């Protein structure tokens, strides 16, 4: 059976508000105490071991440290999702990047998890400097890329709804991203890249929030879409890496201020139901593990991609 993976970006309420340009983020509102146990329960019901990408600024707080401890105790891998969750991470200097990665590692270890070997940036982008930092710090993989043409659309909506963010024009990647591979590969410095899988050929996202958007239109549309995506993955030999977020199990009242976010009108109980169905279908066709185990199962014969090409492809 082909190996597939499930990972969760433990983005907190404040991080969504920050990206949206809502000043309420500065009070750092959190929904981790509700979201984490609910997600762990769904994973537990399916006997799944996943990878959870944790934000450093949360791991240094009580509720975030508790989340890291609970996630680790349940047998999941904890990985690094940057410290400040700034989607414009690719503008950071090498020194700033190093600090982002190192501070998060320290917070994760202090909360009781092993030192992370996987990284995912908050804006679906990687830079040569970031890949250097990861290699130097002993990371085995990066999982930041989302090979889709949806990026520019997401940026368009973001710019309309959050004019206060000057950095928006570089958010969510450029059109060049669609040329990025949908399959894992190895960077020249040895770090493995495990892209967030998009629908083979069509290159549209298949992750949780996208399915919820469809679910809002029609539940059977969302299911049909996901089934079609998995069929394409199987026929093209892609072991999908499925990305989830806390919003995939939270209702509108549990994420105050996020009414703007796609899928928030779907009640929590319906969301949990859809997620359970998604994980069940995935497990029927693939051996499902976390991203670290997915990378380990890929073996040594991955295509190599030149870090220098990044700057040209945008
Ligand atoms: Zn994130």
């Amino acid at each position: 059976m082909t190996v597939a993976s499930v990972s969760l970006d433990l983005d907190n309420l404040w991080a969504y508000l920050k990206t949206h340009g809502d000043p309420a983020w500065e009070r750092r509102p959190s929904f981790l105490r509700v979201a984490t146990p609910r997600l762990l329960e769904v994973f537990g019901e399916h006997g799944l071991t996943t990878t959870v990408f944790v934000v450093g600024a949360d791991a240094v707080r009580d509720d975030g440290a508790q989340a890291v401890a609970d996630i680790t105790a349940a047998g999941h891998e904890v990985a690094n999702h940057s410290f400040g969750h700034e989607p414009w991470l690719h503008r950071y200097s090498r020194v700033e990047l190093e600090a982002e990665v190192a501070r998060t590692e320290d917070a994760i270890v202090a909360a009781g998890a092993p030192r992370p070997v996987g990284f995912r940036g908050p804006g679906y982008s990687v830079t040569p400097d970031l890949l250097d930092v990861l290699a130097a710090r002993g990371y085995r993989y990066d999982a930041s890329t989302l090979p889709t043409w949806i990026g520019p659309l997401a940026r368009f909506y973001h710019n309309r709804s959050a004019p206060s963010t000057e950095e928006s024009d570089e958010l969510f990647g450029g059109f060049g991203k669609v040329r990025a591979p949908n399959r894992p590969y190895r960077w020249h410095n040895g770090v493995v890249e495990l892209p967030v899988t998009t629908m083979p050929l069509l290159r549209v996202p298949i992750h949780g929030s996208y399915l919820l958007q469809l679910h809002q239109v029609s539940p059977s549309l969302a299911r049909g879409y996901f089934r079609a995506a998995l069929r394409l993955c199987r026929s093209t030999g892609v072991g999908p890496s499925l990305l989830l977020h806390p919003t995939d199990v939270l209702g509108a009242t549990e994420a105050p201020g996020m009414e703007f976010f796609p899928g928030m009108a779907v009640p929590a109980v319906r969301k949990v139901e859809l997620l359970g169905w998604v994980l069940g279908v995935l497990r029927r066709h693939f051996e499902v593990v976390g991203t670290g185990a997915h990378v380990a199962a890929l073996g040594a014969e991955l295509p190599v991609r030149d870090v220098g090409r990044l700057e040209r492809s945008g």
Side-chain angles (χ1 to χ4, degrees), residues 148-149 151-152 155 169-179 313-314:
T148 180
W149 50 269
R155 184 174 53 211
D169 40 315
E170 285 188 19
L171 283 181
F172 308 114
F175 280 101
K177 283 234 175 117
V178 74
R179 295 194 299 269
S313 66

Side-chain angles (χ1 to χ4, degrees), residues 9 11 55 81 85 122 245:
D9 288 0
D11 296 339
V55 174
H81 194 34
H85 201 275
H245 289 93

Side-chain angles (χ1 to χ4, degrees), residues 182 197-204 206 229 232-234 236 238:
N182 204 18
T197 306
T198 52
M199 174 106 71
L201 313 178
L202 300 178
R203 295 300 181 91
V204 284
I206 58 173
L232 274 173
C233 284
R234 276 152 55 211
T236 56
V238 172

